[in-house]
Amino acid sequence: MSVFNQSRSTVIRLIIAGLFLVIIVQLMNLQLFSSKYRELAFNNAVYPKVKYPDRGIIYDRKGKAILNNTIMFDLEVTPSQIRSVDTGYLCRLLGIDTAEFRKRVITAIVKNGRYRPSIFEDLLPPLVHARLEENIFKFPGFALVERPVRTYPFNAAAHIMGYIGEADSNNIKSSSGFYRLGDYVGKTGLESFYEKVLMGKRGVEYMIKDNKNRLVGNYENGKFDTAAVAGRNLRTYIDIELQQLAEKLMAGKVGAAVAIEPKTGGILAMVSGPNFDPNMLTGPEKQENFNNLFRDVSSPLLNRAIKGQYPPGSTFKPLGALVALDEGIITPSFGIGCGGAYHGCARPVKCTHSNPGHAANLRLAIANSCNSYFTHIYRLSVDADKFGGVKNGYQQWKKYMNAFDLGVRVGVDLPSEDRGNIPDSSVYNRVYRNTWSSCTNLTLGIGQDMMTATPLQLANSMCIIANKGYYFTPHFVEKIDNETAEDTIMNRYRVKHAPLTGISDEAYEAVISGMQDVVEIGTARMAQIPGVNVCAKTGTAENYKIIDGKRTKLKDNSMFVCFAPRENPKIAIAVVVENAGYGGTWAGPIAALMMEKYLNDTLRPERVKEVERVAGTDLMPGWIIREQFKADSTRAVNWFRMTKDSSVLKRFMHRDQRVDTTRKKPAPLPKPETRTTLFRPEAILPDKPSIQSKTV
């Protein structure tokens, strides 16, 4: 053999040996090091069935489950496993079209990858679930997964409980990947605040699939399965019967009611009106229901108990009296002569009483709710010589208000609480160019001007008076089941705050006696309960709203605060009913019925009739009808401009009118045929030479 041939033969052998070496190395890599094909094979034969945990149950003070769980099913998709799916049949079962099918699959891939399960359709109606369960083998890549769903046995406490929803990108990011797509998290209410307690821990059950994609058994007899761990339960102070009564009484009304146990800070009931059934935000129709609630201009999703900001009106007067007493500005025997108005400043403040002696001392002034008296003692408090000027005096007065938890967040165990408003002196400096006096904001003395408070703050201020200076931060949850030292979230609610215990018992007794007189001889006689000494204060606060670009004065807000019994307070209540007039007309009866129900655990027969009278009265403001029409018709116009679909627009058009859809700005909207307002045109305030504040 020639040298040339020997050289060529060696090269061929080396090439063949190299190829075999590459094959051997690749085989070793695939079998010993790489997990890619192992994972593909595993995913093709084994389905990781997520076991979602039951969220913790929430109980009321008597051990009744007011928030529980039931089981529904989600349809999950794993995009990499979709093969020969009868798309048309699946779409018919789900009530969607093929375009929506493709959109959902693409969304699952983008958000969660091809190899991880994602929710394709959540919370299937029972009929749809039954049909899918019979035919799921026809849809490779799809699986049915159990989902614990919230249920509300008493159909109550929507704003307190909150609702849960699928984790979004923000939830996933902030949890450092703990949450995944398909997990549910608390969005509002106690569900959100106590999420880490209620959520539990998901588990996984590995199931073997046959060649028809049917689940036929456990993989490795469940060796690699992990059990779901249920969330822990919450035990609350809520009295669900009191909560239901309060919601019934607030039906057809805008406002809020809050009841607190003064000795513990435990919230017994909290209602915001308009209200809604919490079961609307669970189950397959939750998104549609949420959209309807969101579009409602009366804002049923808004918790006015912690976010509604109202001038407290005359319900503030006991607080102003305590400030003046503690600073030594007045004594309980201090009195003034009031002929029906306060004339200490350029503009008089009118009073609803003019009979002699109605403000002869503090107790009488509270009982008769004399505007002149409390305007006067406010000015005396901030103008006192010891402060060296009204600005310093005002800042000292503001410190008292903050000690009463006005103008600051109370710290309730709900998200998104508002702080109300006790303006700083810098605000008045800016508004009045650094030249203002106690006459500028004298109506602060009767709970008006720039002062606003939430119903929760007003109820808590009554706890402070009832306890003579101390309080516990208002909260719903008394304890967590299986509580540990790591549950520090509860620590803040077990601290006794005593910011105003330095005020003398004599001062508290003078104010409390005046509040008892309000019930016995004053404007709150409807709140009397046989055998119980009730202390209360009515209020009628001015109410303004911007309507059609004008600051419009509406009917006054009805305000009421109280606590009882005087000797050993067990309940403190604040009620606000918007556009309802005098405090004793609507807010007072609501609070009185709540108080009697809680203290006696029942209502007298004649009081049951009163419940029906109050609950059956619709006090919804008239402007809501018109504002709803404007909002709905504007959306219809915008929808038409985007889609050219006039089906929604037609119901807002009269036969002889058309909505201009070509202009950039919406044309003037046609007036609805129903009545749109309850207020009179003259309610738009002109400049007046005097201030008239109905704050009884």
Side-chain angles (χ1 to χ4, degrees):
M1 182 180 293
S2 67
V3 176
F4 175 77
N5 289 336
Q6 290 181 359
S7 176
R8 186 169 60 179
S9 176
T10 302
V11 171
I12 292 172
R13 291 192 185 99
L14 289 174
I15 291 173
I16 294 173
L19 290 173
F20 273 107
L21 181 63
V22 169
I23 292 171
I24 292 171
V25 170
Q26 182 63 11
L27 287 172
M28 291 178 61
N29 176 56
L30 292 176
Q31 296 183 36
L32 301 179
F33 303 107
S34 175
S35 61
K36 176 181 178 182
Y37 291 98
R38 185 187 304 117
E39 290 177 0
L40 289 174
F42 183 85
N43 290 335
N44 193 48
V46 178
Y47 175 73
K49 188 176 182 180
V50 177
K51 304 291 286 185
Y52 289 104
D54 287 342
R55 287 179 70 86
I57 300 171
I58 300 180
Y59 295 92
D60 85 336
R61 66 190 298 109
K62 297 178 182 177
K64 298 175 182 177
I66 54 180
L67 176 55
N68 214 327
N69 297 301
T70 188
I71 296 296
M72 294 189 74
F73 286 82
D74 292 343
L75 180 64
E76 280 190 348
V77 61
T78 305
S80 65
Q81 298 177 11
I82 297 177
R83 297 183 185 89
S84 304
V85 171
D86 188 344
T87 306
Y89 185 35
L90 180 58
C91 288
R92 286 197 299 275
L93 289 177
L94 296 176
I96 61 176
D97 57 25
T98 54
E100 177 66 17
F101 177 90
R102 288 191 293 271
K103 177 182 176 182
R104 292 187 186 186
V105 172
I106 292 171
T107 300
I109 294 172
V110 171
K111 288 186 175 182
N112 215 21
R114 291 181 175 273
Y115 303 101
R116 297 181 66 178
S118 300
I119 300 296
F120 189 82
E121 176 94 359
D122 67 344
L123 307 179
L124 300 168
L127 182 60
V128 175
H129 165 247
R131 290 175 176 171
L132 279 171
E133 192 169 38
E134 293 175 356
N135 297 278
I136 195 66
F137 68 92
K138 298 178 181 178
F139 311 120
F142 291 86
L144 294 169
V145 179
E146 285 187 357
R147 166 79 70 180
V149 176
R150 294 308 226 176
T151 182
Y152 306 82
F154 295 91
N155 302 326
H159 293 98
I160 300 172
M161 298 297 107
Y163 66 93
I164 59 175
E166 189 173 350
D168 56 27
S169 57
N170 291 330
N171 298 131
I172 295 170
K173 184 178 180 180
S174 62
S175 70
S176 299
F178 175 82
Y179 290 115
R180 299 192 309 217
L181 286 177
D183 287 347
Y184 275 26
V185 300
K187 296 293 186 178
T188 61
L190 296 179
E191 291 274 29
S192 172
F193 195 89
Y194 290 97
E195 168 66 17
K196 291 184 178 179
V197 176
L198 293 168
M199 65 183 181
K201 185 178 180 181
R202 78 175 79 83
V204 179
E205 181 181 12
Y206 293 98
M207 306 291 292
I208 299 174
K209 296 184 292 186
D210 65 8
N211 60 350
K212 292 186 177 180
N213 201 45
R214 294 174 296 194
L215 302 180
V216 295
N218 292 94
Y219 174 71
E220 293 286 340
N221 294 319
K223 179 181 178 181
F224 300 102
D225 294 353
T226 57
V229 179
R232 289 181 291 160
N233 305 327
L234 302 180
R235 308 285 172 167
T236 72
Y237 290 96
I238 298 169
D239 185 320
I240 193 58
E241 292 182 5
L242 181 66
Q243 178 73 24
Q244 287 180 304
L245 173 64
E247 292 188 11
K248 182 175 182 178
L249 294 169
M250 287 296 296
K253 301 166 185 69
V254 179
V258 180
I260 305 176
E261 185 177 63
K263 300 299 182 185
T264 63
I267 301 176
L268 307 171
M270 176 183 285
V271 178
S272 177
N275 199 8
F276 63 95
D277 184 346
N279 287 297
M280 293 176 66
L281 298 184
T282 186
E285 297 178 355
K286 68 181 189 303
Q287 190 59 52
E288 181 182 354
N289 290 335
F290 179 86
N291 292 340
N292 291 335
L293 291 169
F294 183 78
R295 288 193 293 261
D296 190 335
V297 298
S298 67
S299 303
L301 292 172
L302 177 69
N303 187 353
R304 289 175 168 85
I306 62 172
K307 297 190 74 65
Q309 300 195 32
Y310 303 97
S314 288
T315 61
F316 167 79
K317 289 174 180 176
L319 279 64
L322 285 170
V323 173
L325 288 168
D326 191 47
E327 287 295 335
I329 305 300
I330 64 170
T331 64
S333 62
F334 177 81
I336 66 170
C338 173
Y342 178 75
H343 296 282
C345 295
R347 297 178 297 170
V349 177
K350 292 185 179 180
C351 185
T352 54
H353 293 77
S354 58
N355 55 299
H358 73 269
N361 56 50
L362 175 60
R363 184 168 175 173
L364 283 169
I366 293 175
N368 291 294
S369 197
C370 178
N371 286 347
S372 298
Y373 187 96
F374 290 96
T375 301
H376 183 58
I377 67 171
Y378 164 74
R379 293 195 64 215
L380 292 178
S381 298
V382 299
D383 285 338
D385 292 338
K386 63 180 179 179
F387 297 127
V390 66
K391 295 178 182 178
N392 294 334
Y394 176 79
Q395 285 300 104
Q396 180 65 18
W397 180 87
K398 181 178 181 295
K399 287 181 181 178
Y400 276 100
M401 296 303 103
N402 295 157
F404 277 110
D405 263 3
L406 301 185
V408 296
R409 290 186 179 89
V410 171
V412 66
D413 47 352
L414 292 178
S416 304
E417 178 196 359
D418 279 358
R419 64 177 70 243
N421 186 43
I422 302 293
D424 190 80
S425 59
S426 61
V427 175
Y428 287 107
N429 289 340
R430 183 176 67 254
V431 173
Y432 296 101
R433 299 183 181 181
N434 215 34
T435 56
W436 57 278
S437 69
S438 60
C439 282
T440 306
N441 55 20
L442 78 167
T443 54
L444 285 173
I446 53 175
Q448 298 276 178
D449 196 66
M450 296 185 188
M451 178 193 300
T452 61
T454 66
L456 175 64
Q457 289 173 326
L458 295 178
N460 191 48
S461 70
M462 290 300 104
C463 291
I464 295 173
I465 295 177
N467 293 334
K468 296 182 179 178
Y470 77 87
Y471 71 99
F472 290 87
T473 299
H475 58 291
F476 290 96
V477 176
E478 180 183 7
K479 60 183 178 180
I480 301 169
D481 280 4
N482 303 316
E483 191 170 328
T484 68
E486 296 179 356
D487 293 314
T488 56
I489 194 170
M490 295 304 301
N491 292 347
R492 71 188 81 173
Y493 301 116
R494 293 165 181 165
V495 176
K496 183 178 180 179
H497 304 284
L500 296 161
T501 51
I503 299 177
S504 68
D505 281 357
E506 181 186 20
Y508 278 112
E509 286 297 329
V511 170
I512 291 171
S513 294
M515 294 179 70
Q516 184 175 341
D517 287 347
V518 172
V519 177
E520 296 182 354
I521 62 173
T523 55
R525 278 172 281 190
M526 90 298 294
Q528 293 178 5
I529 302 173
V532 179
N533 290 325
V534 178
C535 302
K537 188 70 191 74
T538 57
T540 308
E542 291 183 341
N543 178 27
Y544 295 88
K545 183 177 179 62
I546 303 299
I547 297 177
D548 294 334
K550 297 179 181 179
R551 185 172 184 260
T552 305
K553 187 180 188 303
L554 305 176
K555 193 173 182 179
D556 295 334
N557 291 336
S558 179
M559 318 284 293
F560 195 87
V561 294
C562 62
F563 63 86
R566 172 178 175 167
E567 300 76 17
N568 181 27
K570 296 180 180 178
I571 186 170
I573 299 177
V575 178
V576 178
V577 184
E578 294 184 26
N579 298 270
Y582 291 110
T585 304
W586 293 109
I590 291 171
L593 290 164
M594 292 174 62
M595 190 163 37
E596 181 174 343
K597 175 66 173 70
Y598 182 74
L599 294 176
N600 296 339
D601 200 30
T602 188
L603 291 171
R604 292 166 283 160
E606 63 270 25
R607 300 296 283 164
V608 174
K609 295 180 181 178
E610 177 69 355
V611 170
E612 299 305 320
R613 182 189 74 86
V614 175
T617 303
D618 189 343
L619 299 174
M620 295 296 288
W623 57 264
I624 288 178
I625 300 172
R626 184 166 184 239
E627 292 300 309
Q628 188 68 62
F629 179 86
K630 289 168 60 179
D632 291 345
S633 58
T634 300
R635 278 192 293 268
V637 169
N638 292 336
W639 176 254
F640 173 77
R641 288 175 179 161
M642 289 189 298
T643 66
K644 303 305 178 183
D645 178 4
S646 63
S647 59
V648 179
L649 186 63
K650 286 179 180 178
R651 67 188 182 95
F652 297 100
M653 301 171 66
H654 292 286
R655 282 174 293 184
D656 58 342
Q657 292 178 304
R658 294 292 182 269
V659 178
D660 185 351
T661 59
T662 60
R663 296 164 57 183
K664 292 184 179 180
K665 294 184 179 180
L669 296 168
K671 294 183 179 180
E673 296 174 354
T674 55
R675 184 178 177 182
T676 58
T677 60
L678 291 179
F679 55 89
R680 299 185 300 274
E682 60 268 25
I684 300 173
L685 291 182
D687 293 329
K688 291 186 177 181
S690 65
I691 303 173
Q692 182 173 359
S693 299
K694 296 179 182 178
T695 54
V696 176

